[in-house]
Amino acid sequence: MEEIHSQSDHYRSSSSSASSPASRVPSSNFFYLRKPGALRQPISFEDSPDWDDTDIEVKVEEGGGDSINAATTPASPSLSKINSGSLPSPPLPEGAVVARKISGASVAWKDLTITIKGKRKYSDKVVKSSNGYALPGTMTVIMGPARSGKSTLLRALAGRLPDSARMYGEVHINGVKSHMPYGSYGFVDRETTLIGSLTVREFLYYSALLQLPGFFFQKRSVVEDAILSMSLGDYANKLIGGHCYMKGLPTGERRRVSIARELVMRPHVVFIDEPLYHLDSVSALLMMVTLKKLASTGCTLIFTIYQSSTEVFGLFDRICLLSNGNTLFFGETLACLQHFSNAGFPCPIMQSPSDHFLRAINTDFDRIIAMCKNWQDDNGELSSVNMDTAVAIRTLEATYKSSADAAAVETMILKLTEKEGPSLKSKGKAGSATRVAVLTWRSLLIMSREWKYYWLRLILYMLLALCIGTVFSGLGHSLSSVGTRVAAIFVFISFSSILSIAGVPAQLKEIKIYACEQSNWHSGTLVFLLGQLLSSIPFVFLISISSSLVFYFLVGLRDHFSLLMYFVLNFFACLLVNEGLVLVIASICQDIFWSILILLNVHVIMMLSAGYFRIRSALPKPVWMYPVSYIAFHTYAVQGLLENEYIGTSFAVGQVRTISGYQALRNVYDISQDSNARWENLLVLFLMAVGYRILVFVLLKFRVRNTISVRGFLQCSKKTKNPR
């Protein structure tokens, strides 16, 4: 204790310029200021649940404004020393659009401890015995340095912890110890995937179709409400963008779009992980003012934050301050300044409160002090940070546990949990058939606008068919042209298959969109695969028929309509198999470099074992014959096309002797004499296309879902030190 007092006294003396807590009120009174000591109660709006034991006192002041105080809520003792008034709300102008009221829900957590699985057991505590609550119509922020447990606590409250974590303690929603059902809450991750080729209104509309049951026309009002809530009216008809060739929305607006996606369900509680992630000071202030407006409609907002400006800090209602999983303070934001002052760490006049808090509890500053010791005396500004952070953390934690603020939190938690309020109900989901239709139509719209990933690929396929066709043109139908014709068909199938690698970026993007939507249960694995397959069929068929026509007539294959249609179907099935293979590799790697590298090697191995460079029956039986030649789709595609071209034909040898097309190919490529063999090869190709998608289903169902959840959990525990 002597060490603690000596360190705090040193810090107090070094911060002699610090002002009193009353003068350290954040300078954002222009945006938000209320009477201190009045913690808000759940307020009932036009569609809110009734709270029988809530006594609300409404005072109508001069100027047309109102001040709402909860008479039954215990006032924070620390705030009684701070004198400030409440500013009346300005009257709404005529014709102004009023946001629809939302019924919020109270969230209270008691003795919440979260551990992660180590090498042997669940031993690493990320959050330790945290207590707190959040009320409707308020913003509760979880603040702390990197690796303090902010995002982990947020995920625990939302019921989104991965399997590698365990939670102890209680979380009550409206006084009920239960998980929140689908549609009753929204969760926005730190990094979300948006669809750049859609406008803001289109993106939110398709999100509403995926989430909400009912008819299509009923979703438009929900979308407009979400646009209004997040102040996106000026950007509603603009493309989201974000690609290297498509200029899109600024970062702040993109972040608000990701939040608006969760608002289409009109949730009671919204959890946001780092809403100010990668935002500048202006965008951050605009974001927080927008969230403040959203909270004023009755919604309960809980989010994490690393640090903020003074203006942004003044918009918060309550703050939960964490360091190394320990709760150093929970209460109103102004009371936090008083708490630091009582502990001996008053905030200097020219410093932001959040910067001051992080400076006192962030152990990384100790390394800065150690680095600067040699020249610290020549820089007076560094002398004020010469303090052991571990001592400051212990002092703040001990001061809070023995303070009246902690007792007030426990009293409020007891009040919120002693009586069960209205339980939250699920709002229903869109049907699977509806989701498949929506995803299919959305993917078709994306394909029509993504010229780089789709239309450019169509042009490349046609150019490849033109090049191969002109190289092998004028072959004729003599016996001497058989070997060259086999080479033309093999080169066409093989090179076209390799060209499918150009679709890797588009497939990876679709997987990321699926993972983002799946994490919030907006989509499903089977729904995604069916929608992706149905939307890709028109595009793949367009490529197959255009490339086949160019190649078929330039090379001069047999002029018969049924043979041409088989050629198109065979190439179409080959492209479907390619799409499935790309999806499999992309689902496994989830990285564009490794996906392309592995796909190239897979295609080369399949080409080597397809029977062109060496007849299939002469291949080494271990590995190359069994199983590689049977796995390679090139084998069945080339066999089917050669059987389509040569079965039933004959070639003259001399004046009187003829040989069949099968005999002419016998020493060049292995094919079957059966007239139905080509259809068997076509069936194998379609079965392989289905098999690859079944494999993708398994990978997406287990590996991708687990990878996304674990990756998000690790980001909240081991994120970068300066996310902003």
Side-chain angles (χ1 to χ4, degrees):
M1 289 301 294
E2 293 180 0
E3 180 189 6
I4 293 177
H5 286 301
S6 63
Q7 291 286 351
S8 60
D9 290 342
H10 172 75
Y11 184 72
R12 188 185 294 109
S13 63
S14 65
S15 302
S16 58
S17 61
S19 62
S20 64
S23 64
R24 280 301 306 148
V25 177
S27 61
S28 59
N29 293 342
F30 176 77
F31 297 100
Y32 176 66
L33 185 63
R34 68 178 182 278
K35 184 176 180 181
L39 302 185
R40 296 186 180 181
Q41 282 282 75
I43 300 173
S44 177
F45 293 97
E46 58 185 12
D47 57 349
S48 301
D50 295 328
W51 294 74
D52 299 332
D53 58 347
T54 303
D55 184 11
I56 303 298
E57 177 188 356
V58 181
K59 295 181 180 179
V60 180
E61 302 179 357
E62 296 180 2
D66 60 345
S67 175
I68 301 178
N69 297 327
T72 59
T73 305
S76 176
S78 300
L79 292 180
S80 61
K81 304 177 183 179
I82 304 177
N83 298 319
S84 64
S86 60
L87 294 180
S89 302
L92 291 174
E94 295 183 2
V97 181
V98 181
R100 185 180 186 273
K101 297 297 183 182
I102 301 174
S103 61
S106 68
V107 180
W109 60 97
K110 183 179 180 181
D111 295 331
L112 201 63
T113 300
I114 303 166
T115 61
I116 60 174
K117 189 175 183 179
K119 295 182 178 180
R120 296 184 178 180
K121 59 181 181 179
Y122 292 85
S123 57
D124 300 328
K125 291 184 178 181
V126 182
V127 178
K128 308 168 187 176
S129 300
S130 177
N131 296 319
Y133 59 90
L135 301 179
T138 63
M139 296 196 306
T140 302
V141 57
I142 305 172
M143 182 182 289
R147 303 177 301 278
S148 61
K150 304 186 301 295
S151 299
T152 305
L153 177 58
L154 187 76
R155 290 177 177 273
L157 297 178
R160 297 169 65 92
L161 287 174
D163 297 335
S164 59
R166 286 186 178 178
M167 184 182 74
Y168 306 91
E170 300 176 353
V171 177
H172 296 263
I173 310 298
N174 281 348
V176 181
K177 187 179 178 181
S178 62
H179 294 289
M180 286 176 285
Y182 172 81
S184 63
Y185 77 99
F187 189 93
V188 183
D189 253 314
R190 183 183 298 114
E191 293 183 353
T192 56
T193 303
L194 304 179
I195 304 176
S197 54
L198 299 180
T199 65
V200 172
R201 181 173 277 111
E202 289 172 343
F203 177 75
L204 296 179
Y205 182 60
Y206 284 117
S207 297
L209 294 177
L210 288 174
Q211 299 179 56
L212 295 170
F215 297 101
F216 288 176
F217 65 87
Q218 296 176 342
K219 317 294 176 62
R220 296 195 179 275
S221 62
V222 178
V223 171
E224 296 304 321
D225 287 343
I227 292 174
L228 174 65
S229 298
M230 297 310 298
S231 303
L232 291 169
D234 295 338
Y235 303 93
N237 296 319
K238 293 185 178 180
L239 291 176
I240 296 175
H243 305 300
C244 58
Y245 63 92
M246 184 186 299
K247 184 178 180 181
L249 301 179
T251 306
E253 280 65 35
R254 290 174 61 86
R255 192 70 174 132
R256 281 188 278 152
V257 170
S258 64
I259 298 174
R261 173 169 54 184
E262 300 303 316
L263 297 184
V264 298
M265 288 291 290
R266 287 172 176 162
H268 304 282
V269 186
V270 178
F271 301 92
I272 310 175
D273 193 8
E274 296 281 4
L276 307 185
Y277 189 59
H278 285 324
L279 299 188
D280 55 43
S281 57
V282 176
S283 300
L285 181 58
L286 179 59
M287 169 67 77
M288 296 313 302
V289 172
T290 305
L291 292 179
K292 190 68 180 180
K293 183 182 71 171
L294 174 63
S296 67
T297 63
C299 185
T300 305
L301 292 182
I302 307 175
F303 53 88
T304 63
I305 196 170
Y306 182 78
Q307 64 183 123
S308 66
S309 63
T310 305
E311 291 80 6
V312 170
F313 180 82
L315 296 172
F316 304 149
D317 291 294
R318 292 177 188 86
I319 179 174
C320 178
L321 193 61
L322 297 180
S323 180
N324 296 326
N326 298 305
T327 302
L328 304 185
F329 178 80
F330 183 90
E332 295 205 355
T333 52
L334 300 183
C336 191
L337 287 168
Q338 180 67 40
H339 169 64
F340 270 71
S341 180
N342 293 340
F345 312 117
C347 183
I349 296 177
M350 302 301 293
Q351 191 170 11
S352 168
S354 64
D355 290 340
H356 174 66
F357 298 159
L358 293 178
R359 163 63 194 91
I361 65 176
N362 194 345
T363 56
D364 292 332
F365 277 102
D366 293 337
R367 293 188 300 170
I368 299 178
I369 296 174
M371 291 169 56
C372 301
K373 273 188 176 181
N374 295 331
W375 53 279
Q376 183 177 353
D377 296 334
D378 298 331
N379 297 271
E381 295 180 356
L382 289 177
S383 61
S384 63
V385 299
N386 189 13
M387 176 190 61
D388 188 359
T389 307
V391 175
I393 293 174
R394 292 197 299 269
T395 304
L396 290 167
E397 185 179 7
T399 304
Y400 173 69
K401 288 182 178 180
S402 60
S403 67
D405 294 288
V409 172
E410 294 179 0
T411 302
M412 191 61 186
I413 293 175
L414 180 62
K415 178 177 177 57
L416 292 173
T417 57
E418 65 182 359
K419 182 179 179 181
E420 293 186 359
S423 59
L424 304 182
K425 298 180 180 179
S426 176
K427 299 180 181 180
K429 297 181 180 181
S432 298
T434 302
R435 290 186 174 187
V436 171
V438 170
L439 288 177
T440 302
W441 183 254
R442 187 181 72 178
S443 297
L444 287 173
L445 181 60
I446 294 172
M447 289 180 183
S448 65
R449 296 178 180 177
E450 294 273 3
W451 65 268
K452 184 178 180 181
Y453 293 147
Y454 296 98
W455 299 114
L456 183 59
R457 287 174 59 194
L458 174 62
I459 296 173
L460 291 177
Y461 272 103
M462 293 187 66
L463 286 176
L464 177 64
L466 181 64
C467 293
I468 298 175
T470 52
V471 168
F472 292 96
S473 61
L475 294 180
H477 293 276
S478 63
L479 182 61
S480 60
S481 67
V482 171
T484 309
R485 199 177 296 267
V486 171
I489 292 176
F490 178 82
V491 169
F492 177 71
I493 293 296
S494 301
F495 285 21
S496 298
S497 300
I498 294 178
L499 196 57
S500 66
I501 296 176
V504 169
Q507 301 288 15
L508 282 174
K509 183 181 176 183
E510 289 192 5
I511 292 175
K512 290 180 180 179
I513 294 173
Y514 154 77
C516 183
E517 294 177 338
Q518 170 66 18
S519 64
N520 287 338
W521 299 285
H522 299 169
S523 180
T525 308
L526 184 60
V527 168
F528 163 72
L529 287 178
L530 288 176
Q532 194 273 341
L533 176 62
L534 294 176
S535 62
S536 65
I537 285 177
F539 176 73
V540 172
F541 187 76
L542 180 61
I543 291 179
S544 62
I545 194 170
S546 58
S547 302
S548 298
L549 288 174
V550 172
F551 174 82
Y552 198 91
F553 290 107
L554 283 178
V555 175
L557 300 180
R558 293 170 61 188
D559 190 9
H560 197 283
F561 182 75
S562 62
L563 301 180
L564 173 61
M565 286 298 98
Y566 178 86
F567 190 97
V568 173
L569 282 177
N570 186 291
F571 188 50
F572 171 72
C574 187
L575 292 180
L576 282 181
V577 175
N578 264 301
E579 293 286 315
L581 180 60
V582 171
L583 273 174
V584 169
I585 302 301
S587 301
I588 295 174
C589 299
Q590 299 181 39
D591 179 81
I592 187 170
F593 172 78
W594 289 108
S595 297
I596 292 176
L597 185 64
I598 292 175
L599 278 171
L600 280 173
N601 283 275
V602 169
H603 278 290
V604 169
I605 292 173
M606 288 184 175
M607 290 166 58
L608 290 174
S609 61
Y612 172 73
F613 298 103
R614 188 176 182 182
I615 295 179
R616 192 179 174 197
S617 58
L619 287 173
K621 287 185 168 46
V623 181
W624 291 106
M625 182 68 176
Y626 306 104
V628 176
S629 67
Y630 287 90
I631 296 176
F633 64 90
H634 304 68
T635 303
Y636 308 100
V638 175
Q639 276 185 359
L641 293 179
L642 291 177
E643 289 163 354
N644 181 64
E645 180 69 15
Y646 287 104
I647 295 299
T649 62
S650 60
F651 296 92
V653 180
Q655 297 293 329
V656 294
R657 183 169 174 257
T658 61
I659 60 173
S660 64
Y662 170 75
Q663 292 175 324
L665 281 173
R666 185 168 53 186
N667 295 326
V668 181
Y669 205 93
D670 283 340
I671 63 172
S672 175
Q673 301 184 63
D674 188 0
S675 59
N676 295 322
R678 59 174 182 163
W679 298 108
E680 293 176 0
N681 287 316
L682 184 62
L683 178 62
V684 171
L685 288 175
F686 279 110
L687 290 177
M688 291 183 73
V690 174
Y692 276 129
R693 277 166 174 78
I694 293 176
L695 182 57
V696 173
F697 175 84
V698 175
L699 291 172
L700 293 179
K701 191 71 174 179
F702 299 101
R703 187 181 187 282
V704 172
R705 183 181 62 183
N706 295 336
T707 301
I708 294 298
S709 61
V710 172
R711 186 175 297 171
F713 182 72
L714 291 178
Q715 283 179 353
C716 71
S717 300
K718 300 179 180 179
K719 66 179 184 178
T720 56
K721 298 179 182 178
N722 190 6
R724 294 182 61 202

